[in-house]
DNA sequence: CGGCTATTTGACGATTATCAAAATTAGTGG
DNA sequence: CCACTAATTTTGATAATCGTCAAATAGCCG
């Protein structure tokens, strides 16, 4: 499923004018910092939906920032069962764990067509030496990802099927909203039910039944790959999720 | 349940002679690095089993290294359900996520009596500026923790009750073994069945039944708070867990 | 319009949860 | 050290949730 459609022509796209960085979801950076990031970036890569970004057991992975599209991290058992660990949206760091630990313990796959900013693994060390503030923010982003996995683990371990779906929907909604991807309560929702099931720790059939039960209950509708959240309040209450911080976060 | 039994007298215990650091589980550090760590350490604190190390929703947490004893991270839902996210053993970093994200999204509780090396939050920044290698290792330790949570999520999402227990037992066995805490296949196992259940995402009753089923199947025995792993091979196979790296890791 | 994949539905079975109570263990004070 | 209480663990019975199997329907792409 590899599809390395590199477009070196876009390497030159100035990070100073990065449209993602303009969004209010992200913290401001100094020009110095942005220039450093730009110098660290060696490629701007496009991959088709379904491609491996990092394959399981890959050694020495590159580090990426997801520029556009969705991806997910997953872990497989020897017999084929698969757990989706978390979803990645634009601005998220991709492959930090794999870069630091040297041997990836998981795979990362493009959920939609994606564009990635590529940072070679070797330069991460440079970043720690020369840009402690960026290093700190990298660690911050790592902790943020861990926090999201904590939430998923709590969901899968403690919530029932309906609650898990409600929690996933409201969480993705909020994340999409922070990126300005929500309009009129609806946003692109590219997950198949198999992927939903793998993320929720449920069977495909049970996911389908619960999914349609919640639609019939009026929580949300889905059509044309877009999800419309009709009742955010009820959805959040059903999921028993807490508010999340809306403060801007670092973008590297 | 707070029990802040500070023992400033031990602050002076030289990190250069730290008995934990001597263990082969940990990487060697330069004297410079160790001296920096020592300077950063402001206290050596003892807490009773059951104490909060970091309470849920606590802001501005300190950073610790677990010097002795066990602890666990957990997350609660509003109605009281609780998920134990991971267990902490000597040498593990405690509260990194809470320190970086400013507002803890989880609680950390002492499972046994513990001793902690205390590092004030403010000095983490110093560490990033002055000791990039230590900063890198801090990030590395964060990624290692995330990797362990990935495993737990995969367990809870994909494995059945027996497999989950087998996976937890073999994983804790290996971690204890790496620290030299295993002798004749047995090690201290301080978890109550309620804690087991909360970690596995199972009910207390089902945990008890499955637990005793595996004992009767000859995987392990337990007595006097010590667990003896009788059949590591079978346990690992039942859990379908992969090998873990046995390379030394950083200790901060 | 086919042929493929994804989703939905129904029937049934297995796993896990809940309830209640007994048995065991741990903790406390005399 | 014993007696008593409280907490933890175990067991049995029953119910709910979720998984599996199989087939039908719907959606998608050439």
């Amino acid at each position: 499923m590899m599809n390395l459609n590199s477009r070196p022509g876009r390497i030159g796209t100035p990070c100073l004018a990065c449209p993602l960085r303009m969004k209010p979801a992200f913290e401001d950076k100094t020009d110095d910092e942005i220039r450093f990031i730009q110098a660290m970036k060696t490629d701007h890569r496009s991959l088709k939906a379904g491609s491996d970004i990092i394959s399981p057991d890959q050694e020495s992975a590159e580090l990426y920032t997801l520029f556009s599209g969705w991806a997910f991290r997953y872990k497989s058992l020897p017999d084929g069962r698969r757990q989706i660990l978390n979803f990645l949206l634009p601005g998220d760091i991709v492959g930090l764990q794999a870069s630091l630990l040297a041997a990836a313990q998981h795979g990362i796959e493009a959920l939609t067509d994606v564009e990635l900013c590529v940072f070679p693994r070797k330069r991460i060390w440079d970043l720690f030496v020369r840009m402690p503030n960026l290093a700190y923010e990298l660690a911050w982003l790592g902790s943020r990802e861990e926090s999201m996995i904590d939430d998923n683990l709590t969901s899968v371990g403690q919530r029932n099927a309906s609650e898990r779906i409600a929690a996933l929907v409201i969480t993705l909604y909020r994340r999409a909203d922070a990126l300005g991807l929500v309009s009129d309560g609806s946003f692109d929702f590219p997950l198949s039910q198999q992927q939903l099931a793998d993320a929720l720790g449920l069977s495909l059939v049970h996911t389908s039944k619960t999914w349609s039960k919640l639609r019939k209950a009026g929580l949300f509708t889905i059509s044309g790959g877009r999800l419309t959240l009709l009742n955010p309040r009820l959805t959040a209450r059903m999921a028993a999720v807490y508010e999340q911080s809306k403060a801007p976060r670092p973008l590297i």
Side-chain angles (χ1 to χ4, degrees), chain A:
Chain A
M1 281 245 222
M2 277 310 236
N3 187 313
L4 302 175
N5 178 19
S6 263
R7 295 196 283 165
R10 278 197 68 173
I11 301 180
T13 301
C15 294
L16 277 163
C18 175
L20 198 54
R21 188 175 299 286
M22 309 294 171
K23 293 178 187 282
F26 301 105
E27 285 175 7
D28 287 336
K29 289 222 173 319
T30 65
D31 286 1
D32 249 19
E33 290 170 328
I34 299 177
R35 267 192 290 272
F36 184 90
I37 292 169
Q38 171 132 20
M40 199 166 97
K41 175 175 171 181
T42 56
D43 199 1
H44 190 96
R45 195 172 294 164
S46 294
L47 295 177
K48 285 283 173 205
S51 314
D52 286 339
I53 298 175
I54 290 176
S55 49
D57 66 66
Q58 175 176 340
E59 294 185 23
S60 188
E62 288 167 315
L63 181 68
Y64 311 93
T65 287
L66 187 54
F67 179 77
S68 69
W70 289 32
F72 61 86
R73 258 171 17 97
Y74 67 94
K75 211 170 149 68
S76 298
L77 294 181
D79 63 3
R81 285 176 285 181
R82 179 178 79 160
Q83 178 67 38
I84 291 183
L85 303 165
N86 60 325
F87 293 97
L88 303 170
L89 267 62
D92 288 345
I93 285 284
V94 181
L96 179 61
Q97 185 186 318
S99 292
L100 291 175
L101 298 187
Q105 312 287 312
H106 58 258
I108 305 185
E109 183 178 320
L111 180 57
T112 66
D113 292 355
V114 298
E115 291 178 79
L116 299 163
C117 306
V118 182
F119 306 107
R121 186 164 185 266
K122 323 237 181 215
R123 298 204 191 171
I124 300 174
W125 176 240
D126 273 0
L127 183 144
F128 272 82
V129 172
R130 294 177 47 201
M131 288 276 151
N133 40 356
L134 291 183
Y136 189 91
E137 292 180 341
L138 203 59
W140 192 96
L141 288 170
S143 285
R144 174 177 173 270
E145 177 168 278
E146 180 181 314
S147 172
M148 293 194 292
I149 299 161
D150 288 348
D151 286 336
N152 290 343
L153 174 51
T154 304
S155 224
V156 172
Q158 302 300 324
R159 295 196 245 250
N160 66 26
S162 298
E163 294 170 330
R164 283 183 220 180
I165 289 183
L168 183 66
V169 166
I170 191 77
T171 301
L172 289 176
Y173 173 86
R174 287 174 178 174
R175 289 175 65 189
D177 193 26
L179 293 169
L181 300 175
V182 171
S183 61
D184 291 333
S186 72
F187 63 108
D188 278 323
F189 194 87
L191 307 207
S192 73
Q193 301 218 2
Q194 183 62 64
Q195 288 159 344
L196 263 177
D198 288 347
L200 299 169
L202 297 170
S203 72
L204 174 60
V205 173
H206 196 60
T207 301
S208 171
K209 285 174 179 169
T210 310
W211 185 248
S212 75
K213 190 179 87 180
L214 294 197
R215 275 179 305 166
K216 281 165 192 155
L219 292 198
F220 53 82
T221 61
I222 194 150
S223 85
R226 274 184 88 79
L227 186 148
T228 306
L229 189 52
L230 301 172
N231 200 334
R233 282 280 183 73
L234 181 56
T235 305
R237 192 148 43 81
M238 167 169 292
V241 293
Y242 294 103
E243 275 303 316
Q244 326 213 77
S245 161
K246 287 179 180 155
R249 65 178 198 267
L251 173 67
I252 291 177

